[in-house]
Amino acid sequence: TLRLYHIDGKSNNMVTSVYLKGTPVQTCSFYVSLNQGPLQEQKIFSGGRRRYMHSWDIQTSLLPSQNAHGSMAKIEKFSRLYGHEESQRSFEKFKVAHFYNSSTNQSHGIILLQGNNGWINILHATTGVWLMGCKINGVLVDFCIDYKPVTGNKFQTILIAVNSYSEVWEFNLTDSGKVLRRWKDD
């Protein structure tokens, strides 16, 4: 069960909740798109030791309802990375970030899934479609995202990954996951 609370420092009332059947929640993350106005996405992603994850659209769930029974939560299930099942057996460890697509001149969200054998699979946060994968040697210990400003509202999304041999890898996701640098950090 995922629960949202209004934190006011006094009563901290629960706003809403949703029960995800058969899904133990291992990782949960908020995502807010960079778009302003009615096109802004506000979602909660959750995943457990399963071959799928859920996307909960909280913007539509928290709107006043048209009916007397309350609003229905809009929940999508992302599963099956066709052609990439061997590199992604579980959706339990992931991070959410922003991505600027220079060919469309638009930004959107991405989900970075910690996969098997040093793989990090990157999905489109709205559709759940596989965009690319980045691989390091050895066992992936952790990864994070950094952003490099270019001009105006444009930016590069940089993936930084560390393996169990203390090697640090930097990938430019904006340039199709090209390796920028690799070094050993004792």
Side-chain angles (χ1 to χ4, degrees):
T1 302
L2 300 176
R3 295 178 181 92
L4 289 180
Y5 292 88
H6 175 74
I7 306 299
D8 60 7
K10 295 178 185 173
S11 58
N12 302 329
N13 295 322
M14 187 174 76
V15 177
T16 189
S17 67
V18 65
Y19 176 72
L20 303 172
K21 185 178 180 181
T23 306
V25 177
Q26 175 75 25
T27 304
C28 191
S29 182
F30 283 95
Y31 169 73
V32 178
S33 70
L34 297 175
N35 301 329
Q36 298 297 319
L39 297 177
Q40 186 178 48
E41 292 180 300
Q42 296 178 16
K43 296 183 176 193
I44 296 175
F45 294 101
S46 64
R49 188 165 282 188
R50 301 287 187 265
R51 287 186 177 259
Y52 56 84
M53 70 185 307
H54 290 95
S55 168
W56 177 14
D57 187 344
I58 58 173
Q59 190 171 18
T60 58
S61 298
L62 301 178
L63 292 174
S65 176
Q66 309 290 332
N67 58 37
H69 301 293
S71 59
M72 293 294 291
K74 181 181 175 189
I75 299 174
E76 295 180 89
K77 189 176 188 180
F78 296 162
S79 62
R80 305 264 323 171
L81 298 180
Y82 294 105
H84 306 281
E85 292 91 352
E86 289 302 314
S87 66
Q88 193 68 51
R89 293 191 190 116
S90 170
F91 283 53
E92 66 186 303
K93 295 180 182 175
F94 66 88
K95 297 185 180 176
V96 181
H98 294 100
F99 179 81
Y100 178 76
N101 189 333
S102 56
S103 62
T104 63
N105 202 26
Q106 295 178 334
S107 63
H108 60 80
I110 54 175
I111 303 165
L112 298 103
L113 293 164
Q114 182 172 336
N116 308 327
N117 304 319
W119 278 99
I120 301 170
N121 289 300
I122 296 119
L123 310 180
H124 193 288
T126 303
T127 63
V129 172
W130 186 89
L131 298 174
M132 70 182 88
C134 297
K135 177 155 177 25
I136 67 170
N137 293 339
V139 177
L140 178 65
V141 174
D142 201 4
F143 63 95
C144 68
I145 291 293
D146 194 12
Y147 302 101
K148 181 179 176 184
V150 180
T151 57
N153 293 335
K154 299 175 183 177
F155 58 90
Q156 291 179 341
T157 304
I158 309 297
L159 168 63
I160 304 167
V162 179
N163 68 13
S164 57
Y165 307 122
S166 303
E167 291 176 334
V168 181
W169 300 63
E170 286 188 17
F171 299 91
N172 183 352
L173 299 184
T174 309
D175 191 10
S176 302
K178 178 182 172 186
V179 176
L180 292 174
R181 295 189 302 163
R182 174 182 167 192
W183 73 94
K184 188 167 181 74
D185 186 350
D186 294 327

